[in-house]
Amino acid sequence: MSRLEIEQIDGVPIARVYEDIDAANAAVVRQQLDEALGPDALSLVVDLSATRYVDSAGIDMLLRLNDRLDHRRAKLILVIPEASQLKRLIAIVGLPEAITIHSSLENALREKAKSQAR
Amino acid sequence: MSESRGDHLLSITDSALGYMSLEDMLSELLERIRDSLEVDTAAVLLLDEDRGVLVARAARGLEEEVRQGVQVPLARGFAGRVAAEARPIIIDLDHADVVNPILRQKGIRSMLGVPLHVEGRVIGVMHIGTLVKRDFDEDDVTLLQLAADRAALAIDNARISEQRAVTAIMQRTLLPDALPEIPGMRFSAKYLPAGSGIKIGGDWYDVFQLATGDLAFVIGDVVGRGVLAASVMAEIRTALRAYMVQGHELAEVVSMLNELLASMDRSRGATLSILKLDPEAEELEAVIAGHLPPLLIEPGGQTQLLEQRPGLPVGVSTGHDYEAFRHSFPTGSGLLLYTDGLIERRNESIDAGLRRLEDAASAAAHRSDSTLADSVYRALLDETPLEDDVALLAIESVPLEGRLEMTLPARPNVLGGLRKTIGRWLQAAGAGEDELFDITLSASEAAANAIEHAYGAREATFTIYCDRHDRQVTIVVRDTGRWRTARPPGGGRGLEIMRSLLDDVQVASNDEGTVVTMTKKLSSQA
């Protein structure tokens, strides 16, 4: 399926999203992210570089996912490029206060490697 | 004596035709045959021509044949020989070869079988049997044949009625869906299966919108004609929709369909073209599987056949790939998808037919007195009697100007299309990237709320109006859901987002429903 692709890099599940996340599919995307996470993973990277619109249902879904990962002492990381419209949007709803945002996948993985090295 | 036997026997087929089911009539007839001819068993088997076997349809004294679905291959065994040789046969089971184990189990000793004829074709066999040895005479044969002839007629009539009923239902369900109404797009089509009285065939077209807002177009042609081709066509049409809705790439969709057809016994080959249009990005993606090239009509009226990357037809072989290609589709463009019945003429090359199509398309584009499909069809075929099925789908992208008004079903899967249409409208209005995003997302939020307010009520709709005066954009979303202080999706965050992105948001709700009015002034760029 082309709308969401899962990959493992250095033991970290990466979910690349290729569609909008809105009231129509937020629940389905949530399920797919849950599957990508599995029972053991300590972090999940959701790459929204190719995503154009995320509505309040999508934001709500990400925040709840973040809460759940928190309880497992796991970390949710979002990749949102600097130039993306989503960057402005998430600032409005205060998302960066709750979830780690990186501007590229490379940055996210580098940060992960650094924190693991500590 | 034989006359009175005959009268009683044969009277049943006359009266029964009116009110009995075929099964009951045959049962009653076989019972009377048992009486009149003083035999122990009587049965009717009908021929399944496709598979070349006789299938027991009704029996008296031999109900097991029917219950167990006994099948006798043509030309094998007793019944098979009667059908294959199309003549009465008498056998003595002690010395004969029978396929059907039930006959022996029953202890039948003698049998007489006659063919059921309709218009010179054998459609089945009627046979009678006795548990004690019996020498059937000419009278027996004549009487049984007469009964069989009457039964054959009744069976044929019943089959025709049944096929008509099935066809009528199939026709209704297999006809193409109504063309969607989408602002900024114009669709027209012609669908004419050849052959009188038959409203379906192997040609088809399909148009549907995906949840992403992209539009899918399909044109196809299954080998063959009539009901059989139409049923394969229906399977292909459904499979394509399913794969597209699941979000697979175009080339993969066609590959998957090819694999599906290869896995089916009675599959047939088909040619098809499938295209996906992003109406906001104004880009077309296409995969062609052995089908005639789609015809692109550029905004200026020039025509271009899209002949890139032609793949093989589907349902014929496996192990090959399909490749998609892209083409821009700016506002003002047109696209024609058609089957060969539209352009093929005897004693004319395909190229000549394609030239005629291009001329017709050029001349027809932008005419306002008839649809594009009608204009092209009339220019090419008009009075010509149809030799082959014709399917034609015409797609035009038209400017989105002035007021935009949409009434949509209150289902979440309309949101993607709504965003693309509003995005396109704002683009035409000269909106910058940021403000286009802000307004589109806000409209989507308001729409999502309206959908939520419908609480899943079937048939519920909501309406959205978009207006622009100078640089001021006003969008109104109106729903008829009852206001309830339930948490909207996103927990109220939707309104917060809208208020941050726009100049003003007003929400007014009462018993009749809710109206959300949003305004934003575009920066003067255009």
Side-chain angles (χ1 to χ4, degrees):
Chain A
M1 224 191 286
S2 67
R3 302 196 289 191
L4 192 146
E5 279 170 17
I6 318 253
E7 205 190 327
Q8 294 267 344
I9 300 182
D10 300 334
V12 179
I14 320 271
R16 286 189 172 87
V17 183
Y18 292 98
E19 54 179 348
D20 295 343
I21 305 179
D22 64 6
N25 67 354
V28 172
V29 172
R30 169 62 194 265
Q31 259 171 11
Q32 291 170 318
L33 294 178
D34 278 342
E35 273 167 34
L37 190 60
D40 302 319
L42 290 174
S43 59
L44 171 68
V45 176
V46 180
D47 187 348
L48 297 173
S49 307
T51 300
R52 192 171 176 203
Y53 292 104
V54 177
D55 74 357
S56 58
I59 289 168
D60 196 52
M61 180 274 287
L62 290 170
L63 285 169
R64 287 184 205 225
L65 181 63
N66 188 53
D67 279 346
R68 196 169 138 241
L69 264 66
D70 245 0
H71 285 142
R72 283 168 51 162
R73 305 227 184 294
K75 199 165 175 207
L76 176 65
I77 301 163
L78 300 182
V79 174
I80 296 177
E82 285 298 322
S84 162
Q85 298 285 349
L86 293 179
K87 195 96 191 165
R88 288 189 307 121
L89 177 66
I90 58 171
I92 288 168
V93 291
L95 211 69
E97 285 140 45
I99 306 178
T100 306
I101 318 272
H102 282 288
S103 58
S104 74
L105 189 55
E106 292 78 14
N107 285 351
L109 291 171
R110 206 179 309 134
E111 185 61 40
K112 191 91 203 38
K114 265 200 279 183
S115 70
Q116 271 171 333
R118 286 194 202 111
Chain B
M1 205 232 317
S2 119
E3 218 173 81
S4 67
R5 283 202 303 172
D7 288 344
H8 171 68
L9 180 57
L10 298 175
S11 67
I12 200 257
T13 55
D14 290 337
S15 55
L17 284 172
Y19 63 90
M20 272 178 161
S21 72
L22 181 64
E23 248 69 28
D24 290 341
M25 192 275 283
L26 286 178
S27 222
E28 180 63 31
L29 176 63
L30 294 174
E31 193 55 40
R32 294 196 192 188
I33 286 173
R34 273 215 300 187
D35 282 342
S36 306
L37 288 161
E38 292 163 67
V39 291
D40 299 300
T41 70
V44 168
L45 299 94
L46 295 181
L47 178 62
D48 179 340
E49 278 181 35
D50 287 338
R51 291 180 297 153
V53 293
L54 289 159
V55 183
R57 185 70 184 260
R60 294 299 261 197
L62 265 183
E63 283 77 357
E64 300 86 339
E65 269 206 350
V66 177
R67 268 204 303 278
Q68 294 179 23
V70 167
Q71 293 181 10
V72 179
L74 206 50
R76 296 257 333 270
F78 172 59
R81 274 173 55 218
V82 171
E85 294 173 37
R87 61 178 185 90
I89 298 179
I90 296 168
I91 59 166
D92 178 345
L93 262 72
D94 292 335
H95 307 289
D97 154 46
V98 286
V99 164
N100 186 350
I102 294 174
L103 298 177
R104 278 205 203 284
Q105 279 162 21
K106 258 327 242 226
I108 296 177
R109 304 287 301 281
S110 304
M111 293 192 74
L112 160 62
V114 297
L116 293 163
H117 284 118
V118 170
E119 290 172 9
R121 283 168 18 240
V122 171
I123 66 165
V125 168
M126 179 178 282
H127 66 61
I128 53 179
T130 54
L131 297 172
V132 297
K133 189 154 163 31
R134 158 109 163 239
D135 289 318
F136 290 107
D137 61 25
E138 262 202 57
D139 278 350
D140 294 328
V141 175
T142 306
L143 189 55
L144 189 63
Q145 187 65 70
L146 269 170
D149 290 345
R150 294 296 191 92
L153 216 50
I155 289 165
D156 206 44
N157 284 339
R159 273 177 165 176
I160 289 173
S161 294
E162 196 178 74
Q163 231 198 14
R164 264 202 213 115
V166 169
T167 305
I169 293 170
M170 275 186 90
Q171 279 173 180
R172 280 200 297 277
T173 57
L174 297 185
L175 286 175
D177 283 353
L179 296 169
E181 280 179 22
I182 295 169
M185 302 296 307
R186 214 161 41 202
F187 303 109
S188 53
K190 298 292 281 189
Y191 181 69
L192 296 147
S196 58
I198 299 175
K199 299 203 191 78
I200 48 174
D203 287 12
W204 87 96
Y205 65 81
D206 202 5
V207 188
F208 52 98
Q209 187 163 38
L210 302 167
T212 54
D214 292 334
L215 295 163
F217 312 128
V218 185
I219 187 84
D221 185 349
V222 174
V223 168
R225 308 252 295 269
V227 176
L228 280 174
S231 71
V232 173
M233 175 273 280
E235 288 167 330
I236 293 177
R237 198 175 74 183
T238 306
L240 285 175
R241 279 211 181 204
Y243 298 145
M244 289 298 285
V245 159
Q246 283 171 0
H248 294 283
E249 293 293 329
L250 226 49
E252 209 189 333
V253 165
V254 181
S255 280
M256 287 168 75
L257 173 67
N258 197 35
E259 295 297 317
L260 175 69
L261 291 173
S263 74
M264 288 161 61
D265 265 351
R266 40 176 188 79
S267 95
R268 287 161 173 242
T271 63
L272 64 92
S273 293
I274 180 164
L275 300 95
K276 190 164 75 170
L277 171 66
D278 181 336
E280 194 183 358
E282 296 185 332
E283 189 177 70
L284 207 53
E285 193 188 349
V287 170
I288 306 194
H291 201 78
L292 287 165
L295 181 66
L296 181 72
I297 308 171
E298 291 168 23
Q302 309 94 297
T303 58
Q304 188 193 343
L305 291 167
L306 301 179
E307 296 175 286
Q308 300 95 304
R309 314 221 202 291
L312 292 174
V314 292
V316 176
S317 59
T318 55
H320 56 265
D321 285 326
Y322 293 93
E323 251 188 288
F325 63 89
R326 288 172 192 264
H327 203 287
S328 70
F329 198 75
T331 300
S333 303
L335 184 69
L336 291 181
L337 302 177
Y338 53 94
T339 55
D340 55 14
L342 181 69
I343 63 168
E344 272 182 357
R345 278 202 198 146
R346 273 188 225 160
N347 307 320
E348 188 192 70
S349 68
I350 284 280
D351 279 335
L354 288 171
R355 294 292 94 67
R356 282 189 297 114
L357 175 68
E358 290 191 89
D359 291 340
S362 249
H366 307 307
R367 281 181 64 166
S368 54
D369 56 342
S370 71
T371 66
L372 181 53
D374 270 333
S375 304
V376 169
Y377 181 82
R378 274 208 298 270
L380 289 171
L381 284 174
D382 214 2
E383 306 294 329
T384 318
L386 289 181
E387 291 183 8
D388 196 2
D389 298 344
V390 174
L392 167 63
L393 174 65
I395 297 133
E396 295 164 275
S397 159
V398 298
L400 268 176
E401 269 152 12
R403 166 178 256 225
L404 178 65
E405 184 175 329
M406 289 183 276
T407 297
L408 299 168
R411 291 196 301 260
N413 64 6
V414 308
L415 291 172
L418 182 150
R419 289 193 294 270
K420 292 218 154 138
T421 301
I422 292 180
R424 216 181 136 197
W425 182 78
L426 288 170
Q427 232 164 32
E433 250 188 71
D434 286 6
E435 47 199 10
L436 188 150
F437 177 91
D438 294 349
I439 299 171
T440 303
L441 182 62
S442 300
S444 182
E445 288 288 356
N449 272 335
I451 290 166
E452 179 79 359
H453 286 164
Y455 301 122
R458 284 172 39 158
E459 314 287 353
T461 61
F462 69 97
T463 311
I464 179 163
Y465 310 89
C466 304
D467 279 296
R468 182 168 67 87
H469 293 292
D470 276 336
R471 306 304 292 162
Q472 172 99 321
V473 168
T474 305
I475 298 184
V476 177
V477 176
R478 184 189 294 268
D479 72 60
T480 51
R482 300 270 203 75
W483 176 258
R484 207 165 78 177
T485 48
R487 295 184 56 198
R493 204 169 277 119
L495 204 51
E496 177 196 344
I497 290 174
M498 288 164 65
R499 291 210 152 107
S500 304
L501 296 177
L502 302 174
D503 295 340
D504 190 53
V505 180
Q506 299 291 331
V507 181
S509 53
N510 56 26
D511 283 343
E512 315 277 299
T514 304
V515 178
V516 179
T517 307
M518 305 163 260
T519 55
K520 180 145 180 120
K521 189 151 185 197
L522 300 177
S523 61
S524 318
Q525 282 173 11

